[in-house]
Amino acid sequence: MPETAAAPDIVTCRGERFRLYLSEDEIQTRILELGERIAADYADVGVPILIGVLNGAFMFTADLMRAIPADSEVDFYKLSSYGESKVSSGQVTELKEVDAKLEGRHVIVVEDIVDTGLSMKYVIDQIQTRNPASLRAATLLRKPDAAKVEVRVDYVGFDIDNLFVIGYGMDYGQLARNLRAIYILDREAE
Ligand code: IMP
């Protein structure tokens, strides 16, 4: 495998400083654990379909699917993003529905991060109307202190501080999604 450059401790995005928070290794190790758990949970249930929530969850969805050592399917749902803000607008707008037939399926909604919880709740409520056989949720990150609505998440990678993060699919004004590690806004630099 080609070697990848070590992740820097500090990155700058749109003029703001972010510091390394979760390394590529920590992220991938945790995703492997989640994949094993999902495989075990669905072994006697059926083939799950992962519904990745775009854009932020595209990377996590791909890695989670590869971490599940059993059959799974994938499709995507697209919601509007934060734009260039670091604060959730509270407005969730649907930009692309799921194409796959979900009735009778075992659905796992896959989010990059649950912040206020509004997006996850919106997607879960929408998918519920399509009569899946079962419906669970997975997220790589969750900010417990930012929750505005209660939403049950069955597979959580990491509970994190209530600060803005970038990298590993998550953006700041559409940038920084390419970073392999996750960076958090540097408080001292705020
Ligand atoms: P929520 O609806 O407030 O839970 O926010 C969900 C969506 O907002 C996530 O799927 C992300 O796309 C985005 N988001 C929330 N927090 C962050 C963050 O710290 N960095 C980047 N994007 C975020």
mmCIF file with all atom_site columns, all heavy atoms in Angstrom, residues 2-23:
data_model
loop_
_atom_site.group_PDB
_atom_site.id
_atom_site.type_symbol
_atom_site.label_atom_id
_atom_site.label_alt_id
_atom_site.label_comp_id
_atom_site.label_asym_id
_atom_site.label_entity_id
_atom_site.label_seq_id
_atom_site.pdbx_PDB_ins_code
_atom_site.Cartn_x
_atom_site.Cartn_y
_atom_site.Cartn_z
_atom_site.occupancy
_atom_site.B_iso_or_equiv
_atom_site.pdbx_formal_charge
_atom_site.auth_seq_id
_atom_site.auth_comp_id
_atom_site.auth_asym_id
_atom_site.auth_atom_id
_atom_site.pdbx_PDB_model_num
ATOM 1   N N   . PRO A 1 2  ? 0.509   2.276  -0.754 1.00 0.00 ? 2  PRO A N   1
ATOM 2   C CA  . PRO A 1 2  ? 1.314   3.496  -0.720 1.00 0.00 ? 2  PRO A CA  1
ATOM 3   C C   . PRO A 1 2  ? 1.254   4.143  0.656  1.00 0.00 ? 2  PRO A C   1
ATOM 4   O O   . PRO A 1 2  ? 0.214   4.085  1.326  1.00 0.00 ? 2  PRO A O   1
ATOM 5   C CB  . PRO A 1 2  ? 0.649   4.389  -1.774 1.00 0.00 ? 2  PRO A CB  1
ATOM 6   C CG  . PRO A 1 2  ? -0.702  3.820  -1.983 1.00 0.00 ? 2  PRO A CG  1
ATOM 7   C CD  . PRO A 1 2  ? -0.657  2.376  -1.618 1.00 0.00 ? 2  PRO A CD  1
ATOM 8   N N   . GLU A 1 3  ? 2.353   4.735  1.082  1.00 0.00 ? 3  GLU A N   1
ATOM 9   C CA  . GLU A 1 3  ? 2.361   5.401  2.390  1.00 0.00 ? 3  GLU A CA  1
ATOM 10  C C   . GLU A 1 3  ? 1.636   6.732  2.303  1.00 0.00 ? 3  GLU A C   1
ATOM 11  O O   . GLU A 1 3  ? 1.711   7.419  1.292  1.00 0.00 ? 3  GLU A O   1
ATOM 12  C CB  . GLU A 1 3  ? 3.803   5.645  2.824  1.00 0.00 ? 3  GLU A CB  1
ATOM 13  C CG  . GLU A 1 3  ? 4.514   4.375  3.144  1.00 0.00 ? 3  GLU A CG  1
ATOM 14  C CD  . GLU A 1 3  ? 5.340   4.499  4.405  1.00 0.00 ? 3  GLU A CD  1
ATOM 15  O OE1 . GLU A 1 3  ? 5.395   5.599  4.971  1.00 0.00 ? 3  GLU A OE1 1
ATOM 16  O OE2 . GLU A 1 3  ? 5.913   3.481  4.808  1.00 0.00 ? 3  GLU A OE2 1
ATOM 17  N N   . THR A 1 4  ? 0.914   7.084  3.373  1.00 0.00 ? 4  THR A N   1
ATOM 18  C CA  . THR A 1 4  ? 0.269   8.397  3.372  1.00 0.00 ? 4  THR A CA  1
ATOM 19  C C   . THR A 1 4  ? 1.044   9.309  4.315  1.00 0.00 ? 4  THR A C   1
ATOM 20  O O   . THR A 1 4  ? 1.629   8.847  5.294  1.00 0.00 ? 4  THR A O   1
ATOM 21  C CB  . THR A 1 4  ? -1.188  8.300  3.871  1.00 0.00 ? 4  THR A CB  1
ATOM 22  O OG1 . THR A 1 4  ? -1.197  7.584  5.106  1.00 0.00 ? 4  THR A OG1 1
ATOM 23  C CG2 . THR A 1 4  ? -2.055  7.565  2.867  1.00 0.00 ? 4  THR A CG2 1
ATOM 24  N N   . ALA A 1 5  ? 1.038   10.599 3.991  1.00 0.00 ? 5  ALA A N   1
ATOM 25  C CA  . ALA A 1 5  ? 1.777   11.560 4.822  1.00 0.00 ? 5  ALA A CA  1
ATOM 26  C C   . ALA A 1 5  ? 1.142   11.634 6.210  1.00 0.00 ? 5  ALA A C   1
ATOM 27  O O   . ALA A 1 5  ? -0.068  11.499 6.348  1.00 0.00 ? 5  ALA A O   1
ATOM 28  C CB  . ALA A 1 5  ? 1.731   12.924 4.156  1.00 0.00 ? 5  ALA A CB  1
ATOM 29  N N   . ALA A 1 6  ? 1.977   11.816 7.243  1.00 0.00 ? 6  ALA A N   1
ATOM 30  C CA  . ALA A 1 6  ? 1.447   11.942 8.612  1.00 0.00 ? 6  ALA A CA  1
ATOM 31  C C   . ALA A 1 6  ? 0.556   13.169 8.688  1.00 0.00 ? 6  ALA A C   1
ATOM 32  O O   . ALA A 1 6  ? 0.819   14.186 8.044  1.00 0.00 ? 6  ALA A O   1
ATOM 33  C CB  . ALA A 1 6  ? 2.606   12.066 9.591  1.00 0.00 ? 6  ALA A CB  1
ATOM 34  N N   . ALA A 1 7  ? -0.521  13.052 9.480  1.00 0.00 ? 7  ALA A N   1
ATOM 35  C CA  . ALA A 1 7  ? -1.451  14.180 9.604  1.00 0.00 ? 7  ALA A CA  1
ATOM 36  C C   . ALA A 1 7  ? -0.798  15.296 10.416 1.00 0.00 ? 7  ALA A C   1
ATOM 37  O O   . ALA A 1 7  ? -0.226  15.027 11.470 1.00 0.00 ? 7  ALA A O   1
ATOM 38  C CB  . ALA A 1 7  ? -2.728  13.708 10.286 1.00 0.00 ? 7  ALA A CB  1
ATOM 39  N N   . PRO A 1 8  ? -0.891  16.534 9.942  1.00 0.00 ? 8  PRO A N   1
ATOM 40  C CA  . PRO A 1 8  ? -0.336  17.639 10.739 1.00 0.00 ? 8  PRO A CA  1
ATOM 41  C C   . PRO A 1 8  ? -1.150  17.857 12.008 1.00 0.00 ? 8  PRO A C   1
ATOM 42  O O   . PRO A 1 8  ? -2.326  17.485 12.063 1.00 0.00 ? 8  PRO A O   1
ATOM 43  C CB  . PRO A 1 8  ? -0.454  18.844 9.800  1.00 0.00 ? 8  PRO A CB  1
ATOM 44  C CG  . PRO A 1 8  ? -1.512  18.477 8.818  1.00 0.00 ? 8  PRO A CG  1
ATOM 45  C CD  . PRO A 1 8  ? -1.521  16.981 8.706  1.00 0.00 ? 8  PRO A CD  1
ATOM 46  N N   . ASP A 1 9  ? -0.521  18.449 13.040 1.00 0.00 ? 9  ASP A N   1
ATOM 47  C CA  . ASP A 1 9  ? -1.235  18.704 14.304 1.00 0.00 ? 9  ASP A CA  1
ATOM 48  C C   . ASP A 1 9  ? -2.207  19.875 14.186 1.00 0.00 ? 9  ASP A C   1
ATOM 49  O O   . ASP A 1 9  ? -3.225  19.917 14.867 1.00 0.00 ? 9  ASP A O   1
ATOM 50  C CB  . ASP A 1 9  ? -0.239  19.016 15.426 1.00 0.00 ? 9  ASP A CB  1
ATOM 51  C CG  . ASP A 1 9  ? 0.477   17.749 15.864 1.00 0.00 ? 9  ASP A CG  1
ATOM 52  O OD1 . ASP A 1 9  ? -0.045  16.651 15.563 1.00 0.00 ? 9  ASP A OD1 1
ATOM 53  O OD2 . ASP A 1 9  ? 1.548   17.863 16.469 1.00 0.00 ? 9  ASP A OD2 1
ATOM 54  N N   . ILE A 1 10 ? -1.836  20.821 13.342 1.00 0.00 ? 10 ILE A N   1
ATOM 55  C CA  . ILE A 1 10 ? -2.668  22.026 13.172 1.00 0.00 ? 10 ILE A CA  1
ATOM 56  C C   . ILE A 1 10 ? -2.947  22.224 11.688 1.00 0.00 ? 10 ILE A C   1
ATOM 57  O O   . ILE A 1 10 ? -2.048  22.053 10.862 1.00 0.00 ? 10 ILE A O   1
ATOM 58  C CB  . ILE A 1 10 ? -1.909  23.295 13.683 1.00 0.00 ? 10 ILE A CB  1
ATOM 59  C CG1 . ILE A 1 10 ? -1.556  23.181 15.170 1.00 0.00 ? 10 ILE A CG1 1
ATOM 60  C CG2 . ILE A 1 10 ? -2.698  24.575 13.390 1.00 0.00 ? 10 ILE A CG2 1
ATOM 61  C CD1 . ILE A 1 10 ? -2.706  23.398 16.138 1.00 0.00 ? 10 ILE A CD1 1
ATOM 62  N N   . VAL A 1 11 ? -4.204  22.534 11.350 1.00 0.00 ? 11 VAL A N   1
ATOM 63  C CA  . VAL A 1 11 ? -4.502  22.923 9.966  1.00 0.00 ? 11 VAL A CA  1
ATOM 64  C C   . VAL A 1 11 ? -5.284  24.237 10.009 1.00 0.00 ? 11 VAL A C   1
ATOM 65  O O   . VAL A 1 11 ? -5.919  24.567 11.013 1.00 0.00 ? 11 VAL A O   1
ATOM 66  C CB  . VAL A 1 11 ? -5.331  21.865 9.191  1.00 0.00 ? 11 VAL A CB  1
ATOM 67  C CG1 . VAL A 1 11 ? -4.571  20.559 9.028  1.00 0.00 ? 11 VAL A CG1 1
ATOM 68  C CG2 . VAL A 1 11 ? -6.686  21.626 9.857  1.00 0.00 ? 11 VAL A CG2 1
ATOM 69  N N   . THR A 1 12 ? -5.211  24.965 8.903  1.00 0.00 ? 12 THR A N   1
ATOM 70  C CA  . THR A 1 12 ? -5.973  26.208 8.802  1.00 0.00 ? 12 THR A CA  1
ATOM 71  C C   . THR A 1 12 ? -6.999  26.025 7.694  1.00 0.00 ? 12 THR A C   1
ATOM 72  O O   . THR A 1 12 ? -6.671  25.504 6.631  1.00 0.00 ? 12 THR A O   1
ATOM 73  C CB  . THR A 1 12 ? -5.033  27.373 8.443  1.00 0.00 ? 12 THR A CB  1
ATOM 74  O OG1 . THR A 1 12 ? -3.997  27.394 9.414  1.00 0.00 ? 12 THR A OG1 1
ATOM 75  C CG2 . THR A 1 12 ? -5.751  28.710 8.495  1.00 0.00 ? 12 THR A CG2 1
ATOM 76  N N   . CYS A 1 13 ? -8.233  26.415 7.967  1.00 0.00 ? 13 CYS A N   1
ATOM 77  C CA  . CYS A 1 13 ? -9.284  26.326 6.946  1.00 0.00 ? 13 CYS A CA  1
ATOM 78  C C   . CYS A 1 13 ? -10.066 27.628 6.974  1.00 0.00 ? 13 CYS A C   1
ATOM 79  O O   . CYS A 1 13 ? -10.564 28.028 8.036  1.00 0.00 ? 13 CYS A O   1
ATOM 80  C CB  . CYS A 1 13 ? -10.202 25.136 7.227  1.00 0.00 ? 13 CYS A CB  1
ATOM 81  S SG  . CYS A 1 13 ? -11.474 24.895 5.970  1.00 0.00 ? 13 CYS A SG  1
ATOM 82  N N   . ARG A 1 14 ? -10.149 28.279 5.845  1.00 0.00 ? 14 ARG A N   1
ATOM 83  C CA  . ARG A 1 14 ? -10.842 29.565 5.735  1.00 0.00 ? 14 ARG A CA  1
ATOM 84  C C   . ARG A 1 14 ? -10.413 30.526 6.843  1.00 0.00 ? 14 ARG A C   1
ATOM 85  O O   . ARG A 1 14 ? -11.246 31.158 7.509  1.00 0.00 ? 14 ARG A O   1
ATOM 86  C CB  . ARG A 1 14 ? -12.361 29.366 5.735  1.00 0.00 ? 14 ARG A CB  1
ATOM 87  C CG  . ARG A 1 14 ? -12.837 28.557 4.523  1.00 0.00 ? 14 ARG A CG  1
ATOM 88  C CD  . ARG A 1 14 ? -14.293 28.749 4.224  1.00 0.00 ? 14 ARG A CD  1
ATOM 89  N NE  . ARG A 1 14 ? -14.683 28.009 3.027  1.00 0.00 ? 14 ARG A NE  1
ATOM 90  C CZ  . ARG A 1 14 ? -14.560 28.458 1.785  1.00 0.00 ? 14 ARG A CZ  1
ATOM 91  N NH1 . ARG A 1 14 ? -14.050 29.656 1.568  1.00 0.00 ? 14 ARG A NH1 1
ATOM 92  N NH2 . ARG A 1 14 ? -14.925 27.719 0.764  1.00 0.00 ? 14 ARG A NH2 1
ATOM 93  N N   . GLY A 1 15 ? -9.115  30.538 7.108  1.00 0.00 ? 15 GLY A N   1
ATOM 94  C CA  . GLY A 1 15 ? -8.548  31.505 8.043  1.00 0.00 ? 15 GLY A CA  1
ATOM 95  C C   . GLY A 1 15 ? -8.681  31.131 9.512  1.00 0.00 ? 15 GLY A C   1
ATOM 96  O O   . GLY A 1 15 ? -8.298  31.905 10.389 1.00 0.00 ? 15 GLY A O   1
ATOM 97  N N   . GLU A 1 16 ? -9.222  29.951 9.821  1.00 0.00 ? 16 GLU A N   1
ATOM 98  C CA  . GLU A 1 16 ? -9.374  29.545 11.231 1.00 0.00 ? 16 GLU A CA  1
ATOM 99  C C   . GLU A 1 16 ? -8.481  28.345 11.525 1.00 0.00 ? 16 GLU A C   1
ATOM 100 O O   . GLU A 1 16 ? -8.260  27.502 10.659 1.00 0.00 ? 16 GLU A O   1
ATOM 101 C CB  . GLU A 1 16 ? -10.828 29.177 11.511 1.00 0.00 ? 16 GLU A CB  1
ATOM 102 C CG  . GLU A 1 16 ? -11.783 30.256 11.027 1.00 0.00 ? 16 GLU A CG  1
ATOM 103 C CD  . GLU A 1 16 ? -12.815 30.608 12.060 1.00 0.00 ? 16 GLU A CD  1
ATOM 104 O OE1 . GLU A 1 16 ? -12.513 30.563 13.263 1.00 0.00 ? 16 GLU A OE1 1
ATOM 105 O OE2 . GLU A 1 16 ? -13.930 30.926 11.642 1.00 0.00 ? 16 GLU A OE2 1
ATOM 106 N N   . ARG A 1 17 ? -7.998  28.296 12.787 1.00 0.00 ? 17 ARG A N   1
ATOM 107 C CA  . ARG A 1 17 ? -7.096  27.212 13.188 1.00 0.00 ? 17 ARG A CA  1
ATOM 108 C C   . ARG A 1 17 ? -7.878  26.041 13.767 1.00 0.00 ? 17 ARG A C   1
ATOM 109 O O   . ARG A 1 17 ? -8.754  26.224 14.606 1.00 0.00 ? 17 ARG A O   1
ATOM 110 C CB  . ARG A 1 17 ? -6.167  27.732 14.306 1.00 0.00 ? 17 ARG A CB  1
ATOM 111 C CG  . ARG A 1 17 ? -4.798  28.163 13.856 1.00 0.00 ? 17 ARG A CG  1
ATOM 112 C CD  . ARG A 1 17 ? -4.160  28.922 14.998 1.00 0.00 ? 17 ARG A CD  1
ATOM 113 N NE  . ARG A 1 17 ? -3.873  28.028 16.135 1.00 0.00 ? 17 ARG A NE  1
ATOM 114 C CZ  . ARG A 1 17 ? -2.673  27.518 16.369 1.00 0.00 ? 17 ARG A CZ  1
ATOM 115 N NH1 . ARG A 1 17 ? -1.667  27.771 15.572 1.00 0.00 ? 17 ARG A NH1 1
ATOM 116 N NH2 . ARG A 1 17 ? -2.484  26.754 17.434 1.00 0.00 ? 17 ARG A NH2 1
ATOM 117 N N   . PHE A 1 18 ? -7.488  24.877 13.336 1.00 0.00 ? 18 PHE A N   1
ATOM 118 C CA  . PHE A 1 18 ? -8.092  23.645 13.869 1.00 0.00 ? 18 PHE A CA  1
ATOM 119 C C   . PHE A 1 18 ? -6.961  22.734 14.328 1.00 0.00 ? 18 PHE A C   1
ATOM 120 O O   . PHE A 1 18 ? -5.916  22.673 13.686 1.00 0.00 ? 18 PHE A O   1
ATOM 121 C CB  . PHE A 1 18 ? -8.889  22.927 12.776 1.00 0.00 ? 18 PHE A CB  1
ATOM 122 C CG  . PHE A 1 18 ? -10.138 23.659 12.339 1.00 0.00 ? 18 PHE A CG  1
ATOM 123 C CD1 . PHE A 1 18 ? -10.062 24.728 11.446 1.00 0.00 ? 18 PHE A CD1 1
ATOM 124 C CD2 . PHE A 1 18 ? -11.382 23.284 12.823 1.00 0.00 ? 18 PHE A CD2 1
ATOM 125 C CE1 . PHE A 1 18 ? -11.216 25.406 11.039 1.00 0.00 ? 18 PHE A CE1 1
ATOM 126 C CE2 . PHE A 1 18 ? -12.533 23.957 12.426 1.00 0.00 ? 18 PHE A CE2 1
ATOM 127 C CZ  . PHE A 1 18 ? -12.454 25.019 11.535 1.00 0.00 ? 18 PHE A CZ  1
ATOM 128 N N   . ARG A 1 19 ? -7.186  22.008 15.453 1.00 0.00 ? 19 ARG A N   1
ATOM 129 C CA  . ARG A 1 19 ? -6.133  21.093 15.914 1.00 0.00 ? 19 ARG A CA  1
ATOM 130 C C   . ARG A 1 19 ? -6.604  19.647 15.792 1.00 0.00 ? 19 ARG A C   1
ATOM 131 O O   . ARG A 1 19 ? -7.809  19.351 15.856 1.00 0.00 ? 19 ARG A O   1
ATOM 132 C CB  . ARG A 1 19 ? -5.721  21.422 17.350 1.00 0.00 ? 19 ARG A CB  1
ATOM 133 C CG  . ARG A 1 19 ? -6.780  21.209 18.356 1.00 0.00 ? 19 ARG A CG  1
ATOM 134 C CD  . ARG A 1 19 ? -6.346  21.631 19.757 1.00 0.00 ? 19 ARG A CD  1
ATOM 135 N NE  . ARG A 1 19 ? -7.513  21.966 20.554 1.00 0.00 ? 19 ARG A NE  1
ATOM 136 C CZ  . ARG A 1 19 ? -8.322  21.077 21.109 1.00 0.00 ? 19 ARG A CZ  1
ATOM 137 N NH1 . ARG A 1 19 ? -8.094  19.802 20.983 1.00 0.00 ? 19 ARG A NH1 1
ATOM 138 N NH2 . ARG A 1 19 ? -9.391  21.470 21.798 1.00 0.00 ? 19 ARG A NH2 1
ATOM 139 N N   . LEU A 1 20 ? -5.608  18.769 15.647 1.00 0.00 ? 20 LEU A N   1
ATOM 140 C CA  . LEU A 1 20 ? -5.880  17.346 15.469 1.00 0.00 ? 20 LEU A CA  1
ATOM 141 C C   . LEU A 1 20 ? -6.693  16.835 16.658 1.00 0.00 ? 20 LEU A C   1
ATOM 142 O O   . LEU A 1 20 ? -6.343  17.082 17.814 1.00 0.00 ? 20 LEU A O   1
ATOM 143 C CB  . LEU A 1 20 ? -4.548  16.589 15.368 1.00 0.00 ? 20 LEU A CB  1
ATOM 144 C CG  . LEU A 1 20 ? -4.629  15.102 15.052 1.00 0.00 ? 20 LEU A CG  1
ATOM 145 C CD1 . LEU A 1 20 ? -5.285  14.844 13.704 1.00 0.00 ? 20 LEU A CD1 1
ATOM 146 C CD2 . LEU A 1 20 ? -3.240  14.475 15.102 1.00 0.00 ? 20 LEU A CD2 1
ATOM 147 N N   . TYR A 1 21 ? -7.752  16.097 16.379 1.00 0.00 ? 21 TYR A N   1
ATOM 148 C CA  . TYR A 1 21 ? -8.651  15.637 17.446 1.00 0.00 ? 21 TYR A CA  1
ATOM 149 C C   . TYR A 1 21 ? -8.783  14.120 17.427 1.00 0.00 ? 21 TYR A C   1
ATOM 150 O O   . TYR A 1 21 ? -8.696  13.468 18.456 1.00 0.00 ? 21 TYR A O   1
ATOM 151 C CB  . TYR A 1 21 ? -10.014 16.306 17.241 1.00 0.00 ? 21 TYR A CB  1
ATOM 152 C CG  . TYR A 1 21 ? -10.968 16.172 18.385 1.00 0.00 ? 21 TYR A CG  1
ATOM 153 C CD1 . TYR A 1 21 ? -10.708 16.775 19.618 1.00 0.00 ? 21 TYR A CD1 1
ATOM 154 C CD2 . TYR A 1 21 ? -12.163 15.474 18.231 1.00 0.00 ? 21 TYR A CD2 1
ATOM 155 C CE1 . TYR A 1 21 ? -11.618 16.663 20.672 1.00 0.00 ? 21 TYR A CE1 1
ATOM 156 C CE2 . TYR A 1 21 ? -13.075 15.372 19.273 1.00 0.00 ? 21 TYR A CE2 1
ATOM 157 C CZ  . TYR A 1 21 ? -12.790 15.961 20.494 1.00 0.00 ? 21 TYR A CZ  1
ATOM 158 O OH  . TYR A 1 21 ? -13.690 15.848 21.519 1.00 0.00 ? 21 TYR A OH  1
ATOM 159 N N   . LEU A 1 22 ? -8.998  13.550 16.232 1.00 0.00 ? 22 LEU A N   1
ATOM 160 C CA  . LEU A 1 22 ? -9.060  12.085 16.089 1.00 0.00 ? 22 LEU A CA  1
ATOM 161 C C   . LEU A 1 22 ? -8.192  11.707 14.896 1.00 0.00 ? 22 LEU A C   1
ATOM 162 O O   . LEU A 1 22 ? -8.414  12.191 13.778 1.00 0.00 ? 22 LEU A O   1
ATOM 163 C CB  . LEU A 1 22 ? -10.503 11.636 15.842 1.00 0.00 ? 22 LEU A CB  1
ATOM 164 C CG  . LEU A 1 22 ? -11.476 11.804 17.012 1.00 0.00 ? 22 LEU A CG  1
ATOM 165 C CD1 . LEU A 1 22 ? -12.922 11.622 16.530 1.00 0.00 ? 22 LEU A CD1 1
ATOM 166 C CD2 . LEU A 1 22 ? -11.170 10.804 18.127 1.00 0.00 ? 22 LEU A CD2 1
ATOM 167 N N   . SER A 1 23 ? -7.216  10.836 15.141 1.00 0.00 ? 23 SER A N   1
ATOM 168 C CA  . SER A 1 23 ? -6.289  10.456 14.071 1.00 0.00 ? 23 SER A CA  1
ATOM 169 C C   . SER A 1 23 ? -6.960  9.470  13.123 1.00 0.00 ? 23 SER A C   1
ATOM 170 O O   . SER A 1 23 ? -7.989  8.844  13.460 1.00 0.00 ? 23 SER A O   1
ATOM 171 C CB  . SER A 1 23 ? -5.031  9.833  14.667 1.00 0.00 ? 23 SER A CB  1
ATOM 172 O OG  . SER A 1 23 ? -5.370  8.568  15.210 1.00 0.00 ? 23 SER A OG  1
#
